Amino acid sequence: MSEEQRRHHRIMTVIPVGIHFVQRSPAEGWGRIRNISVSGVEVETHFPLKDSEKVYLSFAVEGWVLMFENVASRVIRARNFAGIYSAGVAFEDELDREHLREALVYLVNRT
């Protein structure tokens, strides 16, 4: 999907993310957020995610100062690139948008 087709601008980053699965064993895994916006993230993992799968994401921006825990989310689009899995994940929870905007502004300004 091109940047023009997206509802919100994405910020490229690398942030560790904990992933809690609703209907899967093991129930938890780890990955990396590759980009983030106010509506969702792109997650990269070493295990497959499934389209439409409900997950809960936990991540922090810059030293645990801006934390997001157990954010209800849904996998929109999952892909496999030679054993590295990537998924577009939309936030379903009503996040504290101001808190998230603060995190995004921080990410943009830290360079």
Side-chain angles (χ1 to χ4, degrees):
M1 181 179 295
S2 73
E3 190 65 31
E4 294 79 36
Q5 293 173 310
R6 296 188 188 281
R7 288 186 305 154
H8 301 101
H9 177 72
R10 299 237 170 214
I11 298 167
M12 303 304 286
T13 189
V14 177
I15 299 171
V17 60
I19 304 168
H20 177 80
F21 301 100
V22 176
Q23 298 180 353
R24 188 193 288 208
S25 181
E28 295 181 345
W30 287 92
R32 294 183 290 198
I33 293 174
R34 299 303 302 202
N35 66 52
I36 185 169
S37 77
V38 295
S39 61
V41 295
E42 180 179 356
V43 175
E44 184 178 88
T45 68
H46 289 285
F47 50 85
L49 296 168
K50 300 173 188 164
D51 286 351
S52 301
E53 182 174 30
K54 181 156 185 146
V55 295
Y56 290 87
L57 304 179
S58 296
F59 59 96
V61 175
E62 197 55 37
W64 304 100
V65 174
L66 300 167
M67 292 181 57
F68 301 89
E69 295 187 66
N70 295 317
V71 178
S73 306
R74 186 159 310 273
V75 176
I76 301 301
R77 167 180 61 262
R79 299 173 297 279
N80 178 358
F81 299 105
I84 301 295
Y85 300 92
S86 176
V89 181
F91 300 137
E92 289 190 327
D93 251 359
E94 272 304 311
L95 287 166
D96 178 346
R97 298 288 178 186
E98 192 56 38
H99 188 66
L100 183 55
R101 281 188 203 359
E102 181 181 344
L104 297 178
V105 167
Y106 175 83
L107 288 172
V108 167
N109 290 329
R110 75 175 180 181
T111 56

